[in-house]
């Protein structure tokens, strides 16, 4: 297990603060955040390229805080690949084997195996300058993996690739994870994080806002930033009110019904966008929350279509299918009704 405890680092005019992370053996852990949030700095501290100003790193119960990059059993693949331009693909992949004093036959076998696994075995004689971005990324991965790192560190590995190459490399990374490789992966791409990881950490301005298993973060975001960043922007501040057997959350002039055991008081509510249904007209249903609103935006994405609705000052985003958009004849400025159950409303007490 890798553990970061209270890591602080001031680097140029930026700093990360009080970083606590736990990465278990076999995890595919993604650090997710916007550009400049501090993701790559944390990755380089894990790798041993940069030393923290404060805090400790532990790996398998050993303090590795002061160990150099060469002494850590990790391998890092940089965003710009960092392939040696003066070496052939074969020589790049074989680079880490030189220190192991293996004979030529064994080196040839290991390089051939790793090159075949990364689908670059036909490129072994080539110079890096003749390779495409996707080929360079695979060579960089093969060079790192041949050393059998206990943790593979990836810095935005898909960002420079086209859609098809991204899909191919995602599949290879999934295979590595299924084979037991522990991976720490830095990205700003939410869909990439969801497609690959079993755990994520959301980082903003040098601080980890929330970390853990994906399903927990998606269903229980701690704040509006996390909700927005994970594609579920329906997060509102309000006040929980109980009256007789009824309870609701007051948000401005709105009353949103919820199902919660929390006591009265200030807090926040969260509604997943896929739990919101859109109708042309008000419906009689078991859903207790029914609001009329005006469509202010319609945005297709990889999971469906996001429909943004202004319900008298309260803006909700619903995720529906393209077929539903056509069936309901949805368009910007159209008046619709949105509906969601009280059980779909999660309330967090302040």
């Amino acid at each position: 297990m890798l553990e970061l405890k209270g890591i602080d680092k001031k680097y140029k005019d930026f700093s990360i603060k009080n970083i606590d992370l736990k990465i278990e053996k076999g995890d595919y852990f993604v650090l997710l955040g916007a550009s400049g949030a501090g993701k790559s700095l944390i990755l380089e501290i894990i790798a041993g390229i940069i030393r923290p100003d404060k805090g400790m790193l532990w790996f398998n119960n050993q303090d590795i805080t002061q160990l150099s990059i060469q002494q850590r059993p990790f391998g890092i693949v940089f965003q710009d690949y960092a392939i040696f331009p003066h070496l052939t693909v074969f020589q790049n992949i074989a680079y880490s084997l030189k220190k192991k004093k293996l004979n030529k036959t064994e080196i040839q076998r290991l390089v051939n195996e790793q090159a075949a696994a990364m689908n670059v075995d036909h490129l072994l004689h080539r110079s890096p300058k003749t390779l495409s971005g996707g080929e360079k990324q695979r060579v960089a991965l093969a060079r790192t993996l041949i050393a059998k790192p206990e943790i593979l560190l990836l810095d935005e590995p898909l960002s420079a690739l086209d859609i098809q190459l991204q899909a191919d490399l995602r599949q290879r990374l999934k295979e590595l994870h299924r084979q037991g490789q522990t991976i720490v992966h830095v990205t700003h791409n939410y869909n990439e994080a969801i497609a690959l990881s079993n755990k994520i950490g959301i980082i903003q301005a040098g601080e980890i806002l929330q970390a853990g298993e994906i399903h927990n973060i998606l269903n229980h975001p701690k704040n509006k930033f996390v909700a927005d960043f994970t594609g579920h922007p329906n997060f509102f501040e309000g006040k929980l009110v109980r009256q007789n057997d009824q309870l609701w959350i007051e948000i401005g002039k709105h009353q949103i019904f919820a199902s919660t055991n929390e006591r009265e008081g200030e807090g926040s509510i969260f509604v997943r966008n896929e739990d919101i249904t859109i109708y042309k007209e008000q419906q009689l249903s078991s859903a207790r929350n029914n609001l009329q609103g005006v469509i202010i935006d319609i945005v297709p994405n990889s999971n469906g279509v996001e429909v943004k609705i202004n319900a008298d000052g309260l803006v909700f985003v619903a995720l529906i299918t393209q077929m539903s958009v056509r069936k309901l004849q949805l368009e910007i400025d159209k008046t619709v009704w949105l509906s969601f159950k009280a059980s779909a409303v999660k309330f967090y007490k302040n």
Side-chain angles (χ1 to χ4, degrees), residues 2 44 70 88 94 113 159 164 168 216 236-238 280 295 322 337:
L2 174 66
E44 291 183 1
Q70 294 83 7
T88 65
E113 284 181 359
S159 62
Q164 183 57 53
D168 291 344
N216 185 53
F236 309 100
E237 302 293 328
K280 285 184 177 180
I295 296 174
Q322 189 68 252
W337 284 84

Side-chain angles (χ1 to χ4, degrees), residues 93 109-119 142 145-146 172:
I93 297 174
R109 182 185 69 80
L110 292 172
V111 171
N112 287 344
E113 284 181 359
Q114 193 59 60
M118 295 306 302
N119 196 25
L145 289 168
I146 203 168
R172 178 56 185 145

Side-chain angles (χ1 to χ4, degrees), residues 119-132:
N119 196 25
V120 293
D121 46 330
H122 60 296
L123 303 173
L124 291 175
H125 65 287
R126 297 265 294 272
S127 167
K129 65 183 179 181
T130 69
L131 304 181
S132 68

Side-chain angles (χ1 to χ4, degrees), residues 286-327:
S286 60
R288 299 196 62 196
N289 294 296
N290 294 278
L291 297 89
Q292 189 178 41
V294 176
I295 296 174
I296 58 176
D297 204 4
I298 300 175
V299 182
N301 66 24
S302 58
N303 298 314
V305 180
E306 289 185 346
V307 182
K308 186 178 290 187
I309 301 165
N310 186 339
D312 199 12
L314 209 57
V315 177
F316 286 88
V317 176
L319 181 66
I320 63 176
T321 64
Q322 189 68 252
M323 183 181 296
S324 295
V325 173
R326 292 194 297 269
K327 183 179 178 181

